[in-house]
Each structure stands twice: as C-alpha cells, then as structure tokens.
Amino acid sequence: MTLIKFIEIMAILVGAFSGFIEARRKRMDLVGVFTVAFITAFGGGTLRDILLDRRPLFWVIHQEYAILIFVLALVASPLIRTLRQIVSERLIVIADAVGLGLFSIAGVSAALAADMPIFIASMMGVITGIFGGVLRDIVCNEVPMVFRDGKPYAICAFLGNWLYLMMRHYGVEPDFALWTSALFISGLRLITWKFDLQMGR
C-alpha cells in the first residue's frame, strides 16, 4: 500500500467518524448515520475527481471504502449512542481538524499527479479538505462550520498545501512532506480553535 493511499483511507475514516458524531447528535436513525458519514467521507474527494475529470470516482474504483463505511455505521451508531455524553463540539472539531489535514494533502497530491498547475493543485487540496464537512453540516441543517466559526479553517488547508508544494519543489522526501504538511494543517486548525483566533468579520 502506498503512503498516499494509506492517508486517503485514514482521511475517510476520520471523515466518517465526524459524520457519525454529528448524525447521532441530531438523533438520526441508521440510514441517516450512514448517509451523513458517507457524504462526509467522500464529498470532498468526489468534487475533486469531478473537477479533475477523473473517472470512475475514487470510491467507485475502491468499493471497499463504501463497504467499510457501511460496516462502521452498523457498529458506530450504538457505540456513539452509549457514549453520547462525550460527544461534543470539541470532539467534532478535533475529528474535523485531523480530516482536514489528511484530505487536503491527499487532494493536492492527486492534483499534482494529474499535472495540474501548482495554484490549482493547492485549491484542489482545499476543496478536498473542506467540502465533505460542508455537505455534512448542510444535511444536518447547520451553517457549515467552515463558514460560521470565524477561524481560518480553509486558510489552514491552503497554507499547509503550499508547505507541501514548497517541500516537494525543494526535493524533500515525499513521505516526509506528506506527513509534515498534514500534521501542520491539523495542528494549525486546532491552535486557531483552542486560542479562539478569529478572522475579521
């Protein structure tokens, strides 16, 4: 298994987890839990593949991804119901931050593999990182977190993507660049949330 595929799988799992949490918080049934987890896990990558004209979509090629989300929905729903007292905004923010880092770097890497210009590649990383969460919040009847908490959510992804692009440009070992950039994005997002760093409104 390549590192980028491993990161993609990890991103899908984290995205699905944040979807499980939000769906259970909204007291959805099993179908709702699976649907929200599915669109959170695959929404950003699907839009990326459409914009890059990649067919079939990544989760169609790897049907095991969709099967994994289905199986996890069966297990996660009763588990999260039992642990409802720890399901909080903080847990969703942490899951979102980790997913943002992993998805963003998977997105920019896929764009580079498709020979996209570097600015477009950086934007593809942002789209991949944020769009699943946007869809999750819309389906759950919430203003998307990226638009409402006032903290530099998409900017964290954008900066981390450029860190990755610069590291690749200067010949840094690819695996190190991937992990460093993903950790940078997740860490920066959590720092902005922890210290309530606001963008101008």
Side-chain angles (χ1 to χ4, degrees):
M1 180 187 297
T2 64
L3 178 61
I4 193 62
K5 184 173 182 181
F6 175 75
I7 286 179
E8 188 171 66
I9 292 172
M10 291 297 296
I12 288 167
L13 290 173
V14 173
F17 178 67
S18 72
F20 292 144
I21 293 172
E22 187 65 19
R24 285 309 310 165
R25 194 168 70 164
K26 293 293 185 177
R27 300 180 181 274
M28 293 185 181
D29 62 13
L30 179 60
V31 174
V33 170
F34 171 72
T35 301
V36 174
F38 188 93
I39 64 173
T40 308
F42 300 130
T46 297
L47 181 58
R48 174 202 66 208
D49 285 355
I50 290 171
L51 293 174
L52 292 177
D53 198 26
R54 294 174 61 182
R55 299 292 188 281
L57 302 175
F58 77 106
W59 56 268
V60 175
I61 296 174
H62 301 288
Q63 68 163 346
E64 62 272 15
Y65 293 172
I67 294 171
L68 177 61
I69 301 302
F70 178 76
V71 172
L72 288 176
L74 298 176
V75 176
S77 183
L79 178 61
I80 293 176
R81 189 185 307 119
T82 302
L83 300 177
R84 185 177 294 165
Q85 64 272 18
I86 69 169
V87 175
S88 63
E89 183 78 8
R90 173 180 294 183
L91 203 57
I92 294 175
V93 170
I94 292 172
D96 256 1
V98 176
L100 178 67
L102 294 172
F103 273 125
S104 296
I105 297 306
V108 71
S109 178
L112 287 178
D115 295 323
M116 292 293 106
I118 59 172
F119 183 78
I120 300 303
S122 70
M123 295 306 297
M124 287 295 173
V126 174
I127 289 169
T128 308
I130 71 172
F131 196 69
V134 170
L135 288 177
R136 177 202 63 212
D137 291 345
I138 290 173
V139 169
C140 292
N141 199 30
E142 298 275 357
V143 176
M145 184 182 294
V146 65
F147 302 142
R148 65 180 156 87
D149 75 352
K151 301 177 180 65
Y153 187 88
I155 291 175
C156 293
F158 185 74
L159 293 175
N161 291 338
W162 276 100
L163 174 63
Y164 175 73
L165 291 167
M166 293 298 292
M167 293 175 79
R168 290 297 306 272
H169 177 75
Y170 286 107
V172 175
E173 199 275 325
D175 289 358
F176 180 80
L178 282 169
W179 282 116
T180 300
S181 304
L183 289 171
F184 174 83
I185 293 170
S186 299
L188 186 59
R189 166 59 182 166
L190 290 174
I191 289 170
T192 62
W193 179 77
K194 173 70 174 177
F195 294 101
D196 197 27
L197 303 178
Q198 299 283 329
M199 294 175 63
R201 294 189 179 185

